[in-house]
Amino acid sequence: MRSFLPVLAIFAFVSGLNGQQLPDSTFRFKNDHAAFSPGAGPSICVDAAHHNFHTLEGRYYSFGKLVREDGFRTTSLKARLDEAVLSDCAVIVIANALAAPAEERGADLNAPAFRPGEINRILEWVIGGGRLFLVIDHAPSAAAAANLAAAIGVLPLNGNASYRMFGELPDAAIRAIIEQHGITADSIRRVLGPLGSLGDHAILRGRPGVDRPVRTLLTFVGSALYPAEDVRSLLEVPTRSKGTVWLTGPSRPHSPRYPLERWLVGGAREMGAGRVVILSEAAMCSAQLAGPERNPMGMNDPLAVDNARFCLNVIRWLAGVI
């Protein structure tokens, strides 16, 4: 059995090197009430054309498995988002897009990942009835997707923000960890810090009479979103949380810190006939094995009791099932 202490350690910043975060192909969510018969649901297209850190073949493998076991079909998009590509997708998922490969020496990873014409086509598609799930993270992905994020209703912080858990503490999971590893509840709570709040939205309530509501969500180092006035809150950062702009080299100790009152980690918006959901933390919808100890990170973490339910509900809401 894995020690819990390394699991807590992964809440700290984890480098984006490929060898340090691997998909956990063994993860499975117990889905007793699938939305569709196998393969009968709408097409969920996951972007792989923008040097994405998370793809169906990689760190979002378990996300794809999660939605397929709900009856959705999944496709990996290898081409830029033009009209022909968009027309084949009921929901498009874009996770941690970059302008260049993260490992490319000298690349400007803060550069925009999306061309202006691409953003215009995405907006026209959404307003006409398309559904977009945009997932960004800490710098540099927040800067890389900033122009698209602003166009759909949020301004991302290109840095990192302090938060870990939203909603309620998962008491049963914490009791099990205490019993198995002999650590105290206070030590767990200190690591988790103050709780962020969950909004009031169909994504969190689920299907009436069918689903258990989402009550607790675990996140891993991400950014924060300043919402437009019609963006509905899904996850709101804890009171007194701070966000830090990511500076490097000798400037790093002087990185400015911003109060994040009313900033979001997740929000939803209706645009014309379409819908969008935006998250500023990507690992919460993955299932990964991180670091040399291969610790669980994402939906497979023992404290992430409702993460899979939440991520599946995002797709269901976007697809009109909820």
Side-chain angles (χ1 to χ4, degrees):
M1 182 171 293
R2 300 183 181 96
S3 167
F4 181 64
L5 295 180
V7 176
L8 292 181
I10 69 170
F11 289 139
F13 172 71
V14 179
S15 170
L17 296 177
N18 289 352
Q20 291 182 316
Q21 291 172 240
L22 303 173
D24 179 1
S25 60
T26 66
F27 173 78
R28 185 174 186 182
F29 171 65
K30 189 175 184 297
N31 186 348
D32 294 324
H33 303 284
F36 300 96
S37 300
S43 177
I44 311 301
C45 301
V46 180
D47 181 33
H50 296 87
H51 309 289
N52 307 74
F53 190 69
H54 296 280
T55 63
L56 278 177
E57 297 82 8
R59 298 176 187 90
Y60 262 26
Y61 172 87
S62 293
F63 173 81
K65 182 179 177 182
L66 177 75
V67 300
R68 285 193 299 273
E69 290 183 349
D70 206 41
F72 292 98
R73 294 171 288 118
T74 60
T75 301
S76 182
L77 296 180
K78 309 292 187 180
R80 291 274 174 170
L81 305 180
D82 61 20
E83 290 88 345
V85 170
L86 293 169
S87 65
D88 291 335
C89 304
V91 178
I92 289 180
V93 181
I94 302 173
N96 282 10
L98 292 172
E103 64 276 8
E104 183 176 305
R105 181 172 295 182
D108 181 6
L109 299 182
N110 289 299
F114 303 95
R115 302 165 184 163
E118 230 178 345
I119 292 175
N120 288 338
R121 285 192 291 272
I122 292 170
L123 290 177
E124 291 171 359
W125 174 76
V126 170
I127 291 169
R131 311 298 168 99
L132 174 65
F133 184 21
L134 178 63
V135 186
I136 62 175
D137 216 310
H138 55 68
S141 69
N147 51 3
L148 176 57
I152 62 175
V154 296
L155 300 177
L157 175 79
N158 191 41
N160 68 294
S162 56
Y163 52 77
R164 289 189 176 117
M165 183 160 281
F166 294 80
E168 305 170 359
L169 287 173
D171 290 333
I174 289 176
R175 285 196 300 271
I177 289 164
I178 292 169
E179 291 172 3
Q180 293 170 16
H181 302 285
I183 59 178
T184 67
D186 285 344
S187 66
I188 298 174
R189 291 189 177 96
R190 279 196 302 272
V191 172
L192 293 176
L195 299 178
S197 58
L198 298 178
D200 179 16
H201 195 278
I203 290 172
L204 299 166
R205 294 190 297 270
R207 294 168 295 178
V210 178
D211 299 322
R212 179 172 63 80
V214 172
R215 294 191 176 94
T216 180
L217 289 168
L218 182 66
T219 61
F220 307 80
V221 182
S223 181
L225 310 166
Y226 190 78
E229 61 183 3
D230 59 347
V231 173
R232 295 186 59 188
S233 171
L234 297 175
L235 296 82
E236 189 168 328
V237 296
T239 305
R240 296 185 295 279
S241 285
K242 302 289 184 181
T244 304
V245 170
W246 212 307
L247 301 180
T248 60
S251 302
R252 183 138 195 187
H254 304 282
S255 295
R257 290 171 61 81
Y258 296 91
L260 298 178
E261 184 178 358
R262 299 180 66 186
W263 285 58
L264 305 181
V265 175
R269 184 184 181 211
E270 299 194 27
M271 297 180 64
R275 292 176 170 181
V276 297
V277 171
I278 317 101
L279 297 183
S280 64
E281 202 283 312
M284 66 182 296
C285 286
S286 73
Q288 303 177 63
L289 300 173
E293 299 298 324
R294 298 292 186 258
N295 295 306
M297 179 183 184
M299 298 183 291
N300 55 342
D301 189 285
L303 292 177
V305 294
D306 284 339
N307 280 44
R309 188 180 311 278
F310 169 78
C311 299
L312 186 55
N313 281 354
V314 167
I315 296 301
R316 288 170 171 173
W317 181 76
L318 288 170
V321 177
I322 297 176

